[in-house]
Amino acid sequence: RKEVEQDPGPFNVPEGATVAFNCTYSNSASQSFFWYRQDCRKEPKLLMSVYSSGNEDGRFTAQLNRASQYISLLIRDSKLSDSATYLCVVNPGQGRGSTLGRLYFGRGTQLTVWP
Amino acid sequence: GAVVSQHPSRVICKSGTSVKIECRSLDFQATTMFWYRQFPKQSLMLMATSNEGSKATYEQGVEKDKFLINHASLTLSTLTVTSAHPEDSSFYICSVNGGSNQPQHFGDGTRLSIL
């Protein structure tokens, strides 16, 4: 089983739509979680960290369910500029015999927002 | 401004050539850097963890003699793809740990094309 599983999409939505992405992770002891955004042929850029209580940054809302090992990202009022691939990223923490800071990436969910 | 500088951004060369990619941490000293590889429509896969002053730690299936890593200073790690072949064509990205449970900072990536 992969460390991080994501629906690859693609998601094609009109401007103004609300879209949600989901992600599951396999290691229940994972310590930190992030959503990154990757534009075509570019490096990943941090979109937001994901906190246990859920967090919001403008039009973006991230949720974490540790019991279900499930992470979500909600984008409201989609803009054309939101078109990108969204990566679910998990830090398993050092306790797993893993190097501190080592990240596991989902395959990414592709989003296209059309006018 | 950029936290991590990666160079070169693009390399096109003949099969059998060795290619060196540099990754510099600009804002802080990095005892650990990470090297990832991403094939088209695939997730980022960790290749190796670069450790300052000691040997790199390679992920399973990554040939250490093929992908030479040198981390001689706290601000510079290099990845050398030795005798590159077309199947080594990929997007190579380095990252620096932002701290415990903090997101990583990525370089701009190097797109390697072997003819």
Side-chain angles (χ1 to χ4, degrees):
Chain A
R1 184 185 171 187
K2 290 184 179 179
E3 296 283 346
V4 181
E5 298 267 14
Q6 263 186 279
D7 179 354
F11 285 66
N12 299 302
V13 302
E15 267 189 297
T18 295
V19 62
F21 304 139
N22 303 318
C23 165
T24 58
Y25 58 96
S26 61
N27 181 3
S28 60
S30 294
Q31 296 187 355
S32 50
F33 311 88
F34 311 95
W35 282 101
Y36 278 75
R37 170 196 170 126
Q38 187 174 24
D39 292 288
C40 187
R41 305 171 80 84
K42 297 284 189 181
E43 79 283 10
K45 292 186 185 297
L46 178 68
L47 181 65
M48 59 197 302
S49 300
V50 186
Y51 302 117
S52 296
S53 55
N55 49 298
E56 187 175 305
D57 182 1
R59 298 182 293 108
F60 300 86
T61 300
Q63 297 278 354
L64 169 65
N65 184 323
R66 284 189 181 272
S68 302
Q69 296 176 210
Y70 172 95
I71 307 162
S72 66
L73 175 68
L74 183 76
I75 305 176
R76 291 183 301 277
D77 189 22
S78 299
K79 311 291 185 190
L80 296 177
S81 57
D82 293 335
S83 297
T85 297
Y86 291 82
L87 305 173
C88 177
V89 183
V90 174
N91 181 345
Q94 196 170 14
R96 195 172 171 247
S98 179
T99 302
L100 179 65
R102 191 221 199 282
L103 298 179
Y104 288 94
F105 288 80
R107 186 178 167 187
T109 300
Q110 185 180 343
L111 172 66
T112 301
V113 181
W114 44 274
Chain B
V3 176
V4 179
S5 172
Q6 186 173 341
H7 177 81
S9 58
R10 185 83 165 97
V11 179
I12 303 173
C13 56
K14 294 180 181 179
S15 184
T17 307
S18 291
V19 178
K20 179 187 280 189
I21 304 170
E22 293 187 349
C23 181
R24 292 181 184 276
S25 175
L26 301 179
D27 283 0
F28 51 90
Q29 296 178 333
T31 55
T32 304
M33 293 186 183
F34 300 92
W35 286 98
Y36 294 87
R37 179 169 56 183
Q38 185 179 33
F39 292 107
K41 299 190 185 300
Q42 300 293 320
S43 62
L44 274 77
M45 295 298 294
L46 181 67
M47 298 176 65
T49 302
S50 175
N51 304 302
E52 187 267 335
S54 65
K55 291 182 179 179
T57 306
Y58 289 82
E59 295 297 303
Q60 190 174 11
V62 178
E63 299 176 56
K64 62 180 181 182
D65 295 330
K66 172 99 177 148
F67 299 98
L68 301 178
I69 290 174
N70 184 286
H71 193 154
S73 78
L74 287 169
T75 58
L76 175 64
S77 174
T78 62
L79 169 69
T80 301
V81 184
T82 61
S83 186
H85 290 97
E87 58 267 28
D88 297 322
S89 299
S90 188
F91 190 47
Y92 293 84
I93 312 176
C94 69
S95 73
V96 174
N97 198 10
S100 180
N101 291 333
Q102 294 299 310
Q104 290 181 5
H105 303 283
F106 287 88
D108 290 344
T110 298
R111 194 160 298 279
L112 176 63
S113 298
I114 307 298
L115 306 177

